[in-house]
Amino acid sequence: MDQWPQALAALEAFETEVAPNLSPRTNAARATFVWPRLAYARARTGDLAGAQALIAATPLDCYLCVRERARIAELAGDRAAADRWSAEARRQGPSLPFAFAEWGQMLMARGDIAGAIDFYEQAIERGPRWADPQKYWGDALMAQGDEAGAIRKYRAAAERAPRWGALHLAWGRALEAQGRRDQAREKYTEAARMDLSAADRAEVVRRLGARTQR
């Protein structure tokens, strides 16, 4: 839900309060399970130097680690490194969807919508029951002005993740762009009952309020 300060605090608490009491074997897994997530949380809260230092201490044969190396490099504006690490993640996990979807998100942020869609499609081929790339593909279609196509992707994502608040918000936007305001309001109302980031909840409240005033 983009609650990065809270995520960082929880991960830091694990490092200081839980990790010292772990068995040596379990403690060794921190470098591949906890540190990549902690590094990314640091990056998302603005501590790029701390993120880069921690992710550099993770092993290179760790799928999650190289994925987070790519995402941290992208946040740092080092596209060459992001390209390299994302390619390495896809090499290490060619049958897994996650690095493909994340690379699509990076391409989307760079303005390469067609390239992003290609990688979302590849992610769906590898993880047909995973909702995220369906939703991301819908977002890409919305950026292209294809509301009908976006709605189809959002509907497919909802079949896999029916309680995803951000998905219902995006679906409502697409419906509203088509002029289907009553249906859009239904989606916003559904989203309001689900978990949302602070920004998404503020948007849902604003859109529902705007509809009430019409």
Side-chain angles (χ1 to χ4, degrees):
M1 293 186 291
D2 291 332
Q3 296 180 2
W4 295 109
Q6 295 93 323
L8 178 63
L11 288 161
E12 294 281 14
F14 179 90
E15 283 289 283
T16 58
E17 299 170 17
V18 179
N21 300 313
L22 296 175
S23 68
R25 180 176 179 181
T26 304
N27 192 48
R30 288 164 53 224
T32 56
F33 187 76
V34 178
W35 290 359
R37 293 175 169 85
L38 176 55
Y40 188 63
R42 285 179 178 174
R44 290 299 300 260
T45 52
D47 183 10
L48 282 171
Q52 290 166 331
L54 182 57
I55 200 65
T58 62
L60 297 179
D61 60 349
C62 161
Y63 177 66
L64 176 61
C65 303
V66 292
R67 284 168 50 205
E68 299 299 25
R69 284 173 184 256
R71 296 208 293 172
I72 291 168
E74 185 73 10
L75 287 174
D78 188 348
R79 289 186 174 181
D83 294 354
R84 183 173 68 256
W85 288 120
S86 180
E88 174 61 14
R90 298 194 305 274
R91 186 195 68 80
Q92 288 190 18
S95 64
L96 299 174
F98 310 110
F100 289 85
E102 288 163 358
W103 182 234
Q105 286 182 289
M106 285 184 264
L107 291 175
M108 183 77 178
R110 296 179 187 184
D112 184 0
I113 298 174
I117 288 173
D118 178 61
F119 278 91
Y120 296 150
E121 186 172 9
Q122 293 185 60
I124 291 168
E125 289 173 356
R126 290 161 173 81
R129 299 304 304 165
W130 187 35
D132 294 40
Q134 298 278 0
K135 194 263 186 187
Y136 301 153
W137 194 342
D139 294 342
L141 292 172
M142 274 294 289
Q144 291 180 326
D146 182 3
E147 293 89 3
I151 289 169
R152 287 194 294 273
K153 292 301 177 186
Y154 294 148
R155 185 178 294 112
E159 292 172 359
R160 296 154 174 80
R163 296 288 303 167
W164 188 358
L167 168 61
H168 284 76
L169 170 58
W171 196 345
R173 291 191 202 107
L175 289 165
E176 189 161 3
Q178 287 190 322
R180 298 157 67 180
R181 295 188 177 90
D182 290 340
Q183 293 178 53
R185 182 176 178 79
E186 290 177 5
K187 293 302 174 188
Y188 298 146
T189 302
E190 290 175 18
R193 301 190 188 105
M194 301 174 187
D195 290 334
L196 292 164
S197 69
D200 284 350
R201 187 162 297 282
E203 182 179 349
V204 165
V205 170
R206 177 178 59 79
R207 287 179 179 273
L208 285 172
R211 288 288 297 123
T212 300
Q213 296 169 11
R214 287 176 184 171

